[in-house]
């Protein structure tokens, strides 16, 4: 076979041929869509370690090289150099915006950031100590009932309205979820502020929209904080077919409302093996408590009989380093003096990093600090409470989810996701 692969079943001597589909970058894929039809067998790949579940033009990762690109542009050329909103525009439109396009996009998002009054009541149904991720996921599902118009995906207007609305409302829902968990009044969006500053404003402002001022009369949102959070949003914007994005595509395949698909993505992201890791990193550092205890916990992480894992280490795809983590480590170093980052938590984190990067166990398994290892420390320095770390991941990732949703919907022959199983029961 010229451009394919042959598989021989040594049990019956039969040979089957499969085509290879070429990628533009990274590994090609064997087309096994008719594998069952030809062979009468399924393929077995729990955790999808070798399975490409879709074709995509959005994000590219080379895990060996530690490379991440959005629409072909390396992450290093975007993070901190373009705003998060420019990156959103890039993901949605396959190109960076002109100044005019950016202005229109920004203004539209500001205007769409308010929540329907009916949705405000939903928050009251949750206990005061509800985790903001629970409220965020539920309120995102509820959004589907407020915006249930038919979406015609051949109309870019319909698509844009649907995508822009969810990107702009998620920060408001996240901030309301947080304020509800504290039992304090909601702060409405301020359309005079940029996307990222507005989120910090909705988190921090006093009732009536007054900002805290210090003895020097300085407002409490610093430029450096806005830049750091904006970079964090950019680094989370998309990450190809990770667990939550796969959930979003699977829900999309059933024909459910896009906001319900996003809400399912939020639920999947919450787990500590995925986006929930950023909260777990800080909880783990607090539990370790002192640099003197680090060795003990490294030993636990290496013990095959102990389920303890170092949170913020390891990645399914990156086997060299996580390029997002590299950018954040640099940012963390820059923020050290500006935001008084020299805390005991940072000392513990640095010691873990030093030991792990030189330890045979971690080196042989390609376990490097991932994005969540650094976001926790940076967000703590921005005085953002732990419970909001994963909602912040959600805010950044919403554009990726909705872009992937649209790509799935625009495929000519999209099929419902329906894996098979290897039955081993009675
Ligand atoms: N600490 C100690 N050992 C680890 C860790 C860790 N954090 N991660 C993996 N290992 C070991 C694991 O025990 C296994 O060892 P052995 O070969 O002796 O059995 C080996 O490394 C391979 O692990 P795996 O579970 O097969 O790897 P995976 O690709 O299925 O899992 C992971 C990737 C990210 C779920 C995992 O590394 C992990 O649980 N890390 C901690 C949680 C975390 O930081 N998650 C955030 C990921 S980045 C943000 C995102 O994209 O969501």
């Amino acid at each position: 076979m010229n451009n394919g692969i042959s598989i021989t079943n040594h049990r019956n001597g039969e040979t089957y041929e499969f085509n290879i589909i070429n990628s533009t970058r990274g590994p090609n894929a064997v087309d096994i869509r008719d594998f069952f039809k030809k062979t009468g067998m399924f393929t077995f790949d729990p955790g999808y370690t070798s399975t490409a579940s879709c074709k995509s033009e959005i994000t590219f990762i080379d895990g060996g090289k530690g490379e991440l690109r959005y629409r072909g542009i390396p992450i290093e050329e975007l993070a901190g150099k373009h705003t998060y909103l420019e990156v959103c525009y890039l993901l949605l439109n396959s190109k960076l915006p002109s100044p005019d396009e950016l202005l229109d996009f920004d203004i539209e998002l500001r205007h769409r950031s308010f929540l329907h009054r009916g949705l405000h009541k939903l928050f009251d149904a949750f206990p005061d100590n509800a985790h903001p991720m629970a409220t965020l996921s539920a309120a995102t599902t509820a959004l589907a009932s407020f915006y249930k118009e038919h979406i015609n995906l051949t109309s870019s207007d319909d698509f844009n309205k649907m995508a822009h609305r969810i990107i702009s409302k998620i920060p408001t829902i996240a901030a309301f979820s947080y304020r509800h968990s504290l039992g304090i009044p909601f702060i409405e969006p301020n359309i005079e502020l940029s996307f990222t500053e507005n989120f910090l404003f909705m988190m921090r402002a006093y009732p009536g929209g007054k900002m805290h001022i210090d003895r020097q009369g300085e407002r409490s949102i610093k430029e450096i904080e806005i830049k750091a959070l904006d970079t964090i949003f950019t680094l989370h914007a998309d990450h190809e077919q990770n667990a939550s994005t796969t959930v979003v595509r699977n829900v999309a395949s059933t024909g459910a409302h896009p906001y319900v698909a996003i809400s399912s993505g939020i639920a999947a992201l919450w787990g500590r093996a995925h986006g929930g890791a950023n909260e777990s990193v800080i909880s783990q550092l607090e539990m370790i408590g002192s640099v003197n205890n680090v060795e003990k916990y490294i030993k636990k992480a290496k013990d095959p009989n102990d389920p303890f894992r170092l949170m913020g280490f390891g990645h399914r795809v990156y086997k060299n380093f996580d390029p997002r983590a590299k950018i954040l480590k640099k940012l963390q170093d820059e923020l050290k003096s500006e935001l008084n980052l020299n805390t005991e938590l940072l000392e513990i984190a640095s010691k873990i990093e030093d030991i792990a990067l030189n330890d045979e166990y971690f080196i042989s398994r390609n376990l490097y600090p991932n994005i969540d290892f650094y976001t926790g420390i940076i967000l703590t320095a921005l005085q953002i409470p732990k419970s909001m770390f994963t909602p912040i991941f959600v805010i950044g990732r919403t554009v990726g989810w909705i872009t992937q949703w649209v790509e799935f919907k625009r495929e000519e022959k999209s099929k419902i996701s329906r894996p098979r199983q290897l039955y081993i029961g009675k």
Side-chain angles (χ1 to χ4, degrees), residues 121-160:
K121 293 183 215 141
L122 180 87
F123 293 87
D124 285 338
F126 287 82
D128 280 354
N129 60 357
H131 194 288
M133 282 296 281
T135 324
L136 181 54
S137 169
T140 306
T141 296
L143 263 193
S145 60
F146 287 91
Y147 302 100
K148 50 183 184 279
E149 73 262 35
H150 173 69
I151 297 161
N152 172 7
L153 281 172
T154 54
S155 147
S156 37
D157 264 6
D158 273 19
F159 151 60
N160 284 337

Side-chain angles (χ1 to χ4, degrees), residues 21 24 34 50 64 76 83 98 147 153 195 232 256 323 340 350 362 409:
I21 310 175
T24 49
D34 55 359
S50 297
E76 294 77 11
T83 62
S98 67
Y147 302 100
L153 281 172
F195 182 91
I232 286 178
N340 195 16
S350 302
F362 293 90
K409 285 292 180 187

Side-chain angles (χ1 to χ4, degrees), residues 239 272-275 277 301 309-316 319 324 361-362 365 367 370-372 393:
H239 214 226
R272 65 204 298 256
H274 195 7
R309 282 189 171 201
L310 272 190
M311 287 291 115
F313 272 79
H315 198 276
R316 169 65 62 77
K319 297 300 175 200
R324 305 166 300 174
Y361 174 93
F362 293 90
R365 288 169 180 76
L367 300 172
N370 57 47
I371 187 168
D372 296 313
F393 196 149

Side-chain angles (χ1 to χ4, degrees), residues 207-255:
K210 289 263 183 285
M211 286 303 299
H212 174 76
I213 46 169
D214 66 16
R215 281 163 160 240
Q216 281 73 39
E218 256 190 64
R219 286 189 340 159
S220 73
I221 303 177
K222 300 190 179 83
E223 259 322 300
I224 188 165
E225 295 180 301
I226 300 166
K227 190 151 184 228
L229 187 57
D230 204 76
T231 303
I232 286 178
F233 287 152
T234 291
L235 294 174
H236 286 95
D238 194 49
H239 214 226
E240 50 119 304
Q241 308 314 316
N242 55 83
S244 56
T245 302
T246 299
V247 166
V248 170
R249 280 186 178 256
N250 284 347
V251 176
S253 80
T254 70

Side-chain angles (χ1 to χ4, degrees), residues 370-385:
N370 57 47
I371 187 168
D372 296 313
F373 189 72
Y374 299 105
T375 39
I377 295 284
I378 296 174
L379 293 175
T380 304
L382 301 188
Q383 294 170 22
I384 289 174

